[in-house]
Coordinates of all heavy atoms in Angstrom, one line a residue:
M1 N 166.8 76.6 59.3 CA 167.5 76.5 58.0 C 168.1 77.8 57.7 O 167.4 78.9 57.9 CB 166.5 76.1 56.9 CG 167.1 76.1 55.6 SD 165.9 75.7 54.3 CE 166.9 75.7 52.9
E2 N 169.3 77.9 57.3 CA 169.9 79.0 56.9 C 170.0 79.1 55.4 O 170.4 78.2 54.7 CB 171.4 79.2 57.4 CG 172.0 80.5 57.2 CD 173.2 80.7 58.0 OE1 173.3 80.4 59.2 OE2 174.2 81.2 57.4
Y3 N 169.5 80.2 54.8 CA 169.4 80.4 53.4 C 170.8 81.0 52.8 O 171.2 81.9 53.4 CB 168.2 81.3 53.0 CG 166.9 80.7 53.3 CD1 166.3 80.7 54.5 CD2 166.2 79.9 52.3 CE1 165.1 80.2 54.8 CE2 165.0 79.3 52.6 CZ 164.5 79.4 53.9 OH 163.3 78.8 54.1
S4 N 171.2 80.4 51.7 CA 172.4 81.0 51.1 C 172.0 82.3 50.4 O 170.9 82.6 50.2 CB 173.0 80.0 50.1 OG 172.1 79.9 48.9
D5 N 173.0 83.1 50.1 CA 172.8 84.4 49.4 C 172.1 84.1 48.1 O 171.2 84.8 47.7 CB 174.1 85.1 49.2 CG 174.7 85.6 50.5 OD1 174.0 85.7 51.5 OD2 175.9 86.0 50.5
K6 N 172.5 83.0 47.4 CA 171.9 82.7 46.1 C 170.4 82.3 46.3 O 169.6 82.8 45.5 CB 172.7 81.5 45.5 CG 172.1 80.9 44.3 CD 172.3 81.9 43.1 CE 171.8 81.3 41.8 NZ 171.9 82.2 40.7
Q7 N 170.1 81.5 47.3 CA 168.7 81.2 47.6 C 167.8 82.4 47.8 O 166.7 82.5 47.3 CB 168.6 80.2 48.7 CG 169.1 78.8 48.4 CD 169.2 77.9 49.7 OE1 169.7 78.4 50.7 NE2 168.7 76.7 49.6
V8 N 168.4 83.3 48.6 CA 167.7 84.6 48.9 C 167.4 85.4 47.7 O 166.3 85.8 47.4 CB 168.5 85.4 50.0 CG1 167.8 86.8 50.2 CG2 168.5 84.7 51.3
T9 N 168.4 85.5 46.8 CA 168.2 86.3 45.6 C 167.2 85.7 44.7 O 166.5 86.4 44.0 CB 169.6 86.6 44.9 OG1 170.2 85.4 44.6 CG2 170.5 87.5 45.8
V10 N 167.2 84.4 44.6 CA 166.3 83.7 43.7 C 164.8 83.9 44.1 O 163.9 84.2 43.3 CB 166.6 82.2 43.6 CG1 165.5 81.4 42.9 CG2 167.9 81.9 42.8
I11 N 164.6 83.8 45.4 CA 163.3 84.1 45.9 C 162.8 85.5 45.7 O 161.7 85.8 45.2 CB 163.2 83.7 47.5 CG1 163.3 82.2 47.6 CG2 161.9 84.3 48.1 CD1 163.5 81.8 49.1
F12 N 163.7 86.4 46.0 CA 163.3 87.9 45.9 C 163.3 88.4 44.5 O 162.6 89.3 44.2 CB 164.2 88.7 46.9 CG 163.7 88.6 48.3 CD1 164.4 87.7 49.1 CD2 162.5 89.2 48.7 CE1 163.9 87.5 50.4 CE2 162.1 89.0 50.0 CZ 162.8 88.1 50.8
K13 N 164.1 87.7 43.6 CA 164.0 88.1 42.2 C 162.6 87.8 41.7 O 162.1 88.5 40.9 CB 165.1 87.3 41.4 CG 165.0 87.5 39.9 CD 166.0 86.7 39.1 CE 165.8 87.0 37.6 NZ 166.7 86.2 36.8
A14 N 162.1 86.7 42.1 CA 160.7 86.3 41.7 C 159.7 87.4 42.1 O 158.7 87.5 41.4 CB 160.3 85.0 42.3
L15 N 159.9 88.1 43.1 CA 158.9 89.0 43.6 C 159.3 90.5 43.4 O 158.6 91.4 43.9 CB 158.7 88.8 45.1 CG 158.1 87.4 45.4 CD1 158.0 87.2 47.0 CD2 156.7 87.3 44.8
C16 N 160.4 90.7 42.6 CA 160.8 92.1 42.5 C 160.3 92.7 41.1 O 160.8 93.8 40.7 CB 162.3 92.2 42.6 SG 163.2 91.6 41.1
D17 N 159.4 92.0 40.5 CA 158.8 92.5 39.2 C 157.3 92.7 39.4 O 156.7 91.8 39.9 CB 159.2 91.5 38.1 CG 158.6 92.0 36.8 OD1 159.3 92.7 36.0 OD2 157.4 91.6 36.5
E18 N 156.8 93.8 39.0 CA 155.4 94.1 39.1 C 154.5 93.1 38.4 O 153.4 92.7 39.0 CB 155.1 95.5 38.5 CG 153.8 96.0 38.9 CD 153.6 97.5 38.4 OE1 154.6 98.2 38.1 OE2 152.4 97.9 38.2
N19 N 154.9 92.6 37.2 CA 154.1 91.6 36.5 C 154.1 90.3 37.3 O 153.0 89.6 37.4 CB 154.6 91.3 35.1 CG 154.3 92.4 34.2 OD1 153.1 92.9 34.1 ND2 155.2 92.9 33.4
R20 N 155.2 89.9 37.9 CA 155.3 88.6 38.7 C 154.5 88.7 39.9 O 153.8 87.8 40.4 CB 156.7 88.2 38.9 CG 157.4 87.7 37.6 CD 158.7 87.0 37.9 NE 159.8 88.0 38.3 CZ 160.6 88.6 37.5 NH1 160.4 88.6 36.2 NH2 161.5 89.4 38.0
V21 N 154.5 89.9 40.6 CA 153.6 90.1 41.8 C 152.2 90.0 41.4 O 151.4 89.3 42.1 CB 154.0 91.4 42.4 CG1 152.9 91.7 43.5 CG2 155.4 91.4 43.0
R22 N 151.8 90.6 40.3 CA 150.4 90.5 39.8 C 150.0 89.0 39.5 O 148.9 88.6 39.9 CB 150.2 91.3 38.6 CG 148.8 91.4 38.2 CD 148.4 92.6 37.3 NE 147.0 92.6 37.0 CZ 146.6 92.6 35.7 NH1 147.5 92.7 34.7 NH2 145.3 92.5 35.4
I23 N 150.9 88.3 38.8 CA 150.6 86.9 38.6 C 150.5 86.1 39.9 O 149.5 85.3 40.1 CB 151.8 86.2 37.8 CG1 151.8 86.8 36.3 CG2 151.7 84.7 37.8 CD1 153.1 86.5 35.6
F24 N 151.3 86.4 40.8 CA 151.2 85.7 42.1 C 149.9 86.0 42.8 O 149.2 85.1 43.4 CB 152.4 86.1 43.0 CG 152.7 85.2 44.1 CD1 153.4 84.0 43.9 CD2 152.3 85.5 45.4 CE1 153.7 83.1 45.0 CE2 152.5 84.6 46.5 CZ 153.2 83.4 46.3
R25 N 149.5 87.3 42.7 CA 148.1 87.6 43.3 C 147.0 86.9 42.6 O 146.0 86.5 43.2 CB 147.9 89.1 43.3 CG 148.8 89.9 44.3 CD 148.5 91.4 44.2 NE 149.4 92.2 45.0 CZ 149.2 92.5 46.2 NH1 148.1 92.1 46.8 NH2 150.1 93.3 46.9
L26 N 147.1 86.8 41.3 CA 146.1 86.1 40.5 C 146.0 84.6 41.0 O 144.9 84.0 41.0 CB 146.3 86.2 39.0 CG 146.1 87.5 38.4 CD1 146.6 87.5 36.9 CD2 144.6 87.9 38.4
L27 N 147.1 84.0 41.3 CA 147.2 82.6 41.7 C 146.7 82.4 43.1 O 146.4 81.3 43.5 CB 148.6 82.1 41.6 CG 149.1 82.0 40.1 CD1 150.6 81.5 40.1 CD2 148.2 81.1 39.3
Q28 N 146.5 83.5 43.9 CA 146.0 83.4 45.3 C 144.6 82.8 45.2 O 144.1 82.2 46.2 CB 146.0 84.7 46.0 CG 147.4 85.2 46.4 CD 147.4 86.5 47.1 OE1 146.8 87.5 46.6 NE2 147.9 86.5 48.3
G29 N 143.9 83.0 44.1 CA 142.5 82.5 44.0 C 142.5 81.0 43.6 O 141.4 80.4 43.5
G30 N 143.6 80.4 43.4 CA 143.7 79.0 43.1 C 144.4 78.8 41.8 O 144.8 79.7 41.1
E31 N 144.5 77.6 41.4 CA 145.2 77.2 40.1 C 144.6 77.9 38.9 O 143.4 78.1 38.8 CB 145.1 75.7 39.9 CG 145.9 75.2 38.7 CD 145.8 73.7 38.5 OE1 144.7 73.3 38.0 OE2 146.8 73.0 38.8
K32 N 145.5 78.3 38.0 CA 145.1 79.0 36.8 C 145.8 78.5 35.6 O 147.0 78.2 35.7 CB 145.4 80.5 36.9 CG 144.6 81.3 38.0 CD 143.6 82.2 37.4 CE 142.9 83.1 38.4 NZ 142.1 82.5 39.4
C33 N 145.1 78.3 34.5 CA 145.7 77.9 33.3 C 146.4 79.1 32.7 O 146.0 80.3 32.9 CB 144.5 77.5 32.3 SG 145.1 77.1 30.7
A34 N 147.5 78.8 32.0 CA 148.3 79.9 31.4 C 147.4 80.7 30.4 O 147.6 81.9 30.3 CB 149.5 79.3 30.6
C35 N 146.5 80.1 29.8 CA 145.6 80.9 28.9 C 144.8 81.9 29.6 O 144.6 83.0 29.1 CB 144.7 79.9 28.1 SG 143.5 79.0 29.1
H36 N 144.4 81.6 30.9 CA 143.7 82.6 31.7 C 144.6 83.7 32.2 O 144.2 84.9 32.2 CB 142.9 81.9 32.9 CG 141.8 81.1 32.4 ND1 141.7 79.8 32.6 CD2 140.7 81.4 31.7 CE1 140.6 79.3 32.1 NE2 140.0 80.3 31.5
L37 N 145.8 83.3 32.5 CA 146.8 84.3 32.9 C 147.1 85.2 31.8 O 147.3 86.4 32.0 CB 148.1 83.7 33.4 CG 147.9 82.9 34.7 CD1 149.2 82.1 35.0 CD2 147.6 83.8 35.9
L38 N 147.2 84.7 30.6 CA 147.5 85.5 29.4 C 146.4 86.6 29.2 O 146.6 87.7 28.9 CB 147.6 84.7 28.1 CG 148.9 84.0 27.9 CD1 148.8 83.0 26.8 CD2 150.0 84.9 27.6
E39 N 145.1 86.2 29.4 CA 144.0 87.1 29.2 C 144.0 88.2 30.3 O 143.8 89.3 30.0 CB 142.7 86.3 29.3 CG 142.4 85.4 28.2 CD 141.2 84.5 28.4 OE1 140.5 84.6 29.4 OE2 141.0 83.6 27.6
E40 N 144.3 87.8 31.5 CA 144.3 88.7 32.7 C 145.4 89.7 32.6 O 145.3 90.8 33.0 CB 144.4 87.9 34.0 CG 143.1 87.1 34.3 CD 142.0 88.0 34.9 OE1 142.3 89.0 35.5 OE2 140.9 87.5 34.8
M41 N 146.6 89.2 32.1 CA 147.8 90.0 32.2 C 148.0 90.9 30.9 O 148.8 91.8 31.0 CB 149.0 89.1 32.4 CG 149.0 88.4 33.7 SD 149.2 89.4 35.1 CE 150.8 90.2 34.8
D42 N 147.4 90.5 29.9 CA 147.6 91.2 28.6 C 149.1 91.2 28.2 O 149.7 92.3 27.9 CB 147.1 92.6 28.6 CG 147.0 93.3 27.3 OD1 146.8 92.6 26.3 OD2 147.2 94.5 27.2
L43 N 149.7 90.0 28.3 CA 151.1 89.8 27.9 C 151.2 88.9 26.8 O 150.3 88.1 26.5 CB 151.9 89.1 29.1 CG 152.0 89.9 30.4 CD1 152.6 89.0 31.5 CD2 152.8 91.1 30.3
S44 N 152.3 88.9 26.1 CA 152.5 87.9 25.0 C 152.9 86.5 25.7 O 153.3 86.5 26.8 CB 153.7 88.3 24.1 OG 154.9 88.2 24.8
Q45 N 152.7 85.5 25.0 CA 153.0 84.1 25.5 C 154.4 84.0 25.9 O 154.7 83.5 27.0 CB 152.5 83.1 24.5 CG 152.6 81.7 25.1 CD 154.0 81.0 25.0 OE1 154.8 81.3 24.1 NE2 154.3 80.3 26.0
P46 N 155.4 84.4 25.1 CA 156.8 84.3 25.5 C 157.1 85.1 26.8 O 157.9 84.6 27.6 CB 157.6 84.8 24.3 CG 156.7 84.7 23.2 CD 155.3 84.9 23.7
T47 N 156.5 86.3 26.9 CA 156.8 87.1 28.1 C 156.2 86.4 29.4 O 156.8 86.3 30.4 CB 156.2 88.5 28.0 OG1 156.8 89.1 26.8 CG2 156.4 89.4 29.2
L48 N 155.0 85.9 29.2 CA 154.4 85.1 30.4 C 155.2 83.9 30.7 O 155.5 83.6 31.9 CB 152.9 84.7 30.1 CG 152.3 83.9 31.1 CD1 152.0 84.7 32.4 CD2 151.0 83.2 30.7
S49 N 155.7 83.2 29.7 CA 156.5 82.0 29.9 C 157.8 82.4 30.7 O 158.2 81.7 31.6 CB 156.9 81.4 28.6 OG 157.6 80.2 28.8
H50 N 158.4 83.5 30.3 CA 159.6 84.0 31.0 C 159.3 84.3 32.5 O 160.1 83.8 33.4 CB 160.1 85.3 30.4 CG 161.2 86.0 31.1 ND1 162.5 85.6 31.2 CD2 161.1 87.1 31.9 CE1 163.2 86.4 32.0 NE2 162.3 87.4 32.4
H51 N 158.2 85.0 32.8 CA 157.8 85.3 34.2 C 157.5 84.0 34.9 O 157.9 83.8 36.1 CB 156.7 86.2 34.2 CG 157.0 87.6 33.8 ND1 158.0 88.4 34.4 CD2 156.4 88.4 32.9 CE1 158.0 89.6 33.8 NE2 157.1 89.6 32.9
M52 N 156.8 83.0 34.3 CA 156.5 81.8 35.0 C 157.7 81.0 35.3 O 157.8 80.3 36.3 CB 155.5 81.0 34.2 CG 154.1 81.7 33.9 SD 153.4 82.5 35.4 CE 153.2 81.1 36.5
K53 N 158.7 81.0 34.4 CA 160.0 80.3 34.7 C 160.6 80.8 35.9 O 161.1 80.0 36.8 CB 160.9 80.4 33.5 CG 162.2 79.6 33.7 CD 163.1 79.6 32.5 CE 164.4 79.0 32.7 NZ 164.8 78.3 34.0
I54 N 160.7 82.1 36.0 CA 161.3 82.7 37.2 C 160.5 82.4 38.5 O 161.1 82.0 39.5 CB 161.4 84.2 37.0 CG1 162.5 84.5 35.9 CG2 161.8 84.9 38.3 CD1 162.5 86.0 35.5
L55 N 159.2 82.4 38.4 CA 158.4 82.1 39.6 C 158.5 80.6 40.0 O 158.6 80.3 41.1 CB 156.9 82.4 39.4 CG 156.6 83.9 39.4 CD1 155.2 84.2 38.8 CD2 156.6 84.4 40.8
C56 N 158.6 79.7 39.0 CA 158.7 78.3 39.2 C 160.1 78.0 39.7 O 160.3 77.2 40.7 CB 158.4 77.5 38.0 SG 156.6 77.4 37.5
D57 N 161.1 78.6 39.2 CA 162.5 78.4 39.6 C 162.7 78.8 41.1 O 163.5 78.2 41.8 CB 163.5 79.1 38.7 CG 163.7 78.5 37.4 OD1 163.2 77.4 37.1 OD2 164.4 79.1 36.5
S58 N 161.9 79.8 41.5 CA 162.1 80.3 42.9 C 161.4 79.3 43.9 O 161.6 79.4 45.1 CB 161.4 81.6 43.1 OG 160.0 81.5 43.0
G59 N 160.6 78.4 43.4 CA 159.8 77.5 44.2 C 158.5 78.0 44.7 O 157.8 77.3 45.4
L60 N 158.2 79.3 44.4 CA 157.0 79.9 44.9 C 155.7 79.4 44.1 O 154.6 79.4 44.6 CB 157.0 81.4 44.7 CG 158.0 82.1 45.7 CD1 158.2 83.6 45.3 CD2 157.5 82.0 47.1
V61 N 156.0 79.0 42.9 CA 154.9 78.5 42.0 C 155.2 77.2 41.4 O 156.4 76.9 41.2 CB 154.6 79.6 40.9 CG1 153.7 79.1 39.8 CG2 154.1 80.9 41.5
V62 N 154.2 76.4 41.3 CA 154.4 75.0 40.6 C 153.5 75.0 39.4 O 152.5 75.6 39.3 CB 154.1 73.8 41.5 CG1 155.2 73.8 42.6 CG2 152.7 73.9 42.1
G63 N 154.0 74.3 38.3 CA 153.2 74.1 37.2 C 153.0 72.7 36.8 O 153.8 71.8 37.2
R64 N 151.9 72.4 36.2 CA 151.6 71.0 35.7 C 151.0 71.2 34.3 O 150.2 72.1 34.0 CB 150.7 70.3 36.6 CG 149.3 70.8 36.7 CD 148.3 70.0 37.6 NE 147.0 70.5 37.5 CZ 146.1 70.3 36.6 NH1 146.4 69.4 35.6 NH2 144.9 70.8 36.6
K65 N 151.4 70.3 33.5 CA 151.0 70.3 32.1 C 149.7 69.4 31.9 O 149.6 68.3 32.5 CB 152.0 69.7 31.1 CG 151.8 69.9 29.7 CD 153.1 69.8 28.9 CE 152.8 69.9 27.4 NZ 152.8 71.3 27.0
E66 N 148.7 70.0 31.2 CA 147.4 69.3 30.9 C 147.1 69.6 29.5 O 146.8 70.7 29.1 CB 146.3 69.7 31.8 CG 145.0 68.9 31.7 CD 144.0 69.4 32.6 OE1 144.2 69.3 33.8 OE2 142.9 69.8 32.1
G67 N 147.3 68.6 28.6 CA 147.1 68.8 27.2 C 148.2 69.7 26.7 O 149.4 69.5 27.0
K68 N 147.8 70.8 26.0 CA 148.8 71.7 25.5 C 149.0 72.9 26.4 O 149.9 73.7 26.2 CB 148.4 72.2 24.1 CG 147.2 73.1 24.1 CD 146.9 73.6 22.7 CE 145.8 74.6 22.7 NZ 145.7 75.3 21.4
W69 N 148.3 73.0 27.5 CA 148.4 74.1 28.4 C 149.0 73.7 29.8 O 148.9 72.6 30.2 CB 147.0 74.7 28.7 CG 146.4 75.3 27.5 CD1 145.3 74.8 26.8 CD2 146.7 76.6 27.0 NE1 145.0 75.7 25.8 CE2 145.9 76.8 25.9 CE3 147.6 77.6 27.3 CZ2 146.0 77.9 25.1 CZ3 147.7 78.7 26.6 CH2 146.9 78.9 25.5
M70 N 149.7 74.8 30.3 CA 150.3 74.6 31.7 C 149.3 75.3 32.6 O 148.6 76.3 32.3 CB 151.6 75.4 31.8 CG 152.7 74.7 31.0 SD 153.2 73.1 31.8 CE 153.9 73.6 33.4
H71 N 149.2 74.6 33.8 CA 148.3 75.1 34.9 C 149.3 75.5 36.0 O 150.1 74.6 36.4 CB 147.3 74.1 35.3 CG 146.3 73.8 34.2 ND1 145.1 74.4 34.2 CD2 146.4 73.1 33.1 CE1 144.4 74.0 33.2 NE2 145.2 73.2 32.4
Y72 N 149.1 76.6 36.6 CA 150.0 77.1 37.7 C 149.3 77.3 39.0 O 148.1 77.7 39.0 CB 150.7 78.4 37.2 CG 151.6 78.2 36.0 CD1 151.2 78.6 34.8 CD2 152.9 77.7 36.2 CE1 152.0 78.4 33.6 CE2 153.7 77.5 35.1 CZ 153.2 77.9 33.8 OH 154.0 77.7 32.7
S73 N 150.0 77.1 40.0 CA 149.4 77.4 41.4 C 150.6 77.8 42.3 O 151.7 77.5 42.1 CB 148.7 76.2 41.9 OG 149.5 75.1 42.0
I74 N 150.2 78.4 43.4 CA 151.2 78.8 44.5 C 151.6 77.5 45.2 O 150.7 76.7 45.5 CB 150.6 79.8 45.4 CG1 150.3 81.1 44.7 CG2 151.5 80.0 46.6 CD1 149.6 82.2 45.5
S75 N 152.8 77.3 45.4 CA 153.3 76.2 46.2 C 153.3 76.6 47.7 O 154.0 77.5 48.1 CB 154.8 75.9 45.8 OG 155.4 75.1 46.7
P76 N 152.5 75.8 48.5 CA 152.4 76.1 49.9 C 153.8 76.0 50.5 O 154.2 76.9 51.4 CB 151.5 75.1 50.4 CG 150.6 74.7 49.3 CD 151.6 74.8 48.1
Q77 N 154.6 75.1 50.1 CA 156.0 74.9 50.7 C 156.9 76.0 50.3 O 157.7 76.5 51.1 CB 156.6 73.5 50.2 CG 155.8 72.3 50.6 CD 154.8 71.9 49.6 OE1 154.5 72.6 48.7 NE2 154.2 70.7 49.9
G78 N 156.7 76.5 49.0 CA 157.5 77.6 48.5 C 157.2 78.9 49.2 O 158.1 79.7 49.6
A79 N 155.9 79.1 49.4 CA 155.5 80.3 50.1 C 156.0 80.3 51.5 O 156.5 81.3 52.0 CB 153.9 80.4 50.1
L80 N 155.9 79.2 52.2 CA 156.4 79.0 53.6 C 157.9 79.3 53.7 O 158.4 80.0 54.5 CB 156.0 77.7 54.2 CG 156.5 77.4 55.6 CD1 155.8 78.4 56.6 CD2 156.1 76.0 56.0
S81 N 158.6 78.7 52.7 CA 160.0 78.9 52.6 C 160.4 80.4 52.4 O 161.3 80.9 53.1 CB 160.6 78.1 51.5 OG 162.0 78.2 51.4
A82 N 159.6 81.1 51.6 CA 159.9 82.5 51.3 C 159.6 83.3 52.6 O 160.4 84.3 52.9 CB 159.0 83.1 50.2
M83 N 158.6 83.0 53.4 CA 158.3 83.7 54.6 C 159.4 83.5 55.6 O 159.9 84.4 56.3 CB 157.0 83.3 55.2 CG 155.8 83.8 54.4 SD 154.2 83.5 55.1 CE 154.0 81.7 54.8
K84 N 159.9 82.2 55.7 CA 161.0 81.9 56.6 C 162.3 82.6 56.2 O 163.0 83.1 57.1 CB 161.3 80.4 56.7 CG 160.2 79.6 57.4 CD 160.5 78.2 57.4 CE 159.5 77.4 58.2 NZ 159.7 75.9 58.2
C85 N 162.5 82.7 54.9 CA 163.7 83.4 54.4 C 163.6 84.9 54.7 O 164.6 85.4 55.2 CB 163.7 83.2 52.9 SG 165.1 84.1 52.1
L86 N 162.5 85.5 54.6 CA 162.4 86.9 54.9 C 162.6 87.1 56.4 O 163.3 88.1 56.8 CB 161.0 87.4 54.5 CG 160.7 88.9 54.9 CD1 161.6 89.8 54.2 CD2 159.2 89.3 54.6
G87 N 162.0 86.2 57.2 CA 162.2 86.4 58.7 C 163.7 86.2 59.0 O 164.2 86.9 59.9
E88 N 164.4 85.3 58.3 CA 165.8 85.0 58.6 C 166.7 86.3 58.3 O 167.5 86.7 59.1 CB 166.3 83.8 57.9 CG 167.8 83.6 58.1 CD 168.3 82.4 57.2 OE1 167.7 81.3 57.4 OE2 169.1 82.7 56.3
I89 N 166.4 86.8 57.1 CA 167.3 88.0 56.7 C 167.0 89.3 57.3 O 167.7 90.2 57.2 CB 167.4 88.1 55.2 CG1 166.1 88.5 54.5 CG2 167.9 86.8 54.5 CD1 166.2 88.9 53.1
T90 N 165.8 89.4 58.0 CA 165.4 90.6 58.6 C 165.5 90.6 60.1 O 165.3 91.6 60.8 CB 164.0 91.0 58.2 OG1 163.1 90.0 58.6 CG2 163.8 91.3 56.7
S91 N 166.0 89.4 60.7 CA 166.1 89.3 62.1 C 167.4 90.1 62.5 O 168.4 90.1 61.8 CB 166.2 87.9 62.6 OG 167.3 87.3 62.1
V92 N 167.3 90.8 63.7 CA 168.4 91.5 64.2 C 168.9 90.8 65.5 O 168.1 90.5 66.4 CB 168.0 93.0 64.5 CG1 169.1 93.8 65.1 CG2 167.4 93.6 63.3
S93 N 170.2 90.6 65.5 CA 170.8 90.0 66.6 C 171.2 91.0 67.7 O 171.9 91.9 67.4 CB 172.0 89.1 66.2 OG 172.7 88.6 67.3
E94 N 170.8 90.8 68.9 CA 171.1 91.7 70.0 C 172.6 91.5 70.4 O 173.1 92.4 71.1 CB 170.2 91.5 71.2 CG 168.7 91.9 70.9 CD 168.5 93.4 70.5 OE1 169.2 94.2 71.1 OE2 167.7 93.7 69.7
A95 N 173.1 90.4 70.1 CA 174.5 90.0 70.5 C 175.5 90.5 69.5 O 176.7 90.2 69.7 CB 174.6 88.5 70.7
G96 N 175.1 91.3 68.6 CA 176.0 91.8 67.5 C 177.1 92.7 68.2 O 176.8 93.4 69.1
S97 N 178.2 92.8 67.6 CA 179.2 93.7 68.1 C 179.0 95.1 67.5 O 178.5 95.3 66.5 CB 180.6 93.2 67.7 OG 180.7 93.2 66.3
K98 N 179.5 96.1 68.3 CA 179.4 97.5 67.8 C 180.6 97.8 67.0 O 181.7 97.4 67.2 CB 179.3 98.4 69.0 CG 178.0 98.1 69.8 CD 177.9 99.1 70.9 CE 176.6 98.7 71.6 NZ 176.1 99.4 72.6
C99 N 180.4 98.6 66.0 CA 181.5 98.9 65.0 C 182.4 100.0 65.5 O 183.5 100.1 65.1 CB 180.9 99.2 63.6 SG 180.0 100.7 63.5
C100 N 181.8 100.8 66.4 CA 182.6 102.0 66.9 C 182.5 102.0 68.4 O 181.4 101.8 69.0 CB 182.1 103.3 66.3 SG 182.2 103.3 64.5
D101 N 183.5 102.4 69.1 CA 183.5 102.7 70.5 C 183.2 104.1 70.8 O 184.1 105.0 70.5 CB 184.8 102.2 71.2 CG 185.0 100.7 71.1 OD1 184.1 100.0 71.2 OD2 186.2 100.3 70.9
K102 N 182.0 104.4 71.2 CA 181.7 105.8 71.5 C 180.9 105.8 72.8 O 180.1 105.0 73.1 CB 180.9 106.5 70.4 CG 181.8 106.7 69.2 CD 181.0 107.6 68.2 CE 181.9 107.8 67.0 NZ 181.4 108.7 66.1

């Protein structure tokens, strides 16, 4: 699969913020309720909501509503997609042309 520039930027935007990386690390231990993330992160609810929207929009995190709370977890498919994306954009082609003749 070839990732569009837009897809690449959405994935990496999700991981280019220190708070979102910390949230992602917290979710490595399994699903967490937003209330627990709020306690761990010492963020306001609107700020956490903003970060979770970016993580969910990237496909790296999924949320499910239970009562009044959202529960979040890492999406295995999203994580695999991000790893493939990184591999794709960092691969170097040996068949590339040289820009200068020297």
Side-chain angles (χ1 to χ4, degrees):
M1 173 183 184
E2 190 169 314
Y3 293 85
S4 71
D5 292 343
K6 176 71 174 172
Q7 290 170 309
V8 172
T9 57
V10 168
I11 291 169
F12 286 99
K13 176 182 179 181
L15 296 173
C16 75
D17 179 89
E18 193 174 338
N19 284 315
R20 290 192 289 273
V21 170
R22 186 158 178 237
I23 291 166
F24 201 78
R25 288 182 188 268
L26 289 170
L27 294 177
Q28 286 179 307
E31 183 180 77
K32 297 251 187 293
C33 176
C35 62
H36 291 118
L37 293 172
L38 281 170
E39 291 170 7
E40 292 279 337
M41 295 294 298
D42 193 32
L43 297 173
S44 69
Q45 188 280 323
T47 301
L48 177 66
S49 183
H50 168 75
H51 288 306
M52 297 315 298
K53 178 176 179 3
I54 291 170
L55 286 166
C56 289
D57 286 351
S58 73
L60 292 170
V61 171
V62 292
R64 67 175 184 83
K65 191 164 178 81
E66 186 176 299
K68 68 176 187 170
W69 291 105
M70 286 296 293
H71 294 260
Y72 296 100
S73 59
I74 293 174
S75 164
Q77 299 89 352
L80 180 60
S81 181
M83 288 186 285
K84 287 180 179 178
C85 176
L86 179 61
E88 179 185 298
I89 67 169
T90 58
S91 66
V92 178
S93 173
E94 296 296 325
S97 63
K98 296 186 181 187
C99 67
C100 300
D101 292 325
K102 288 191 181 187

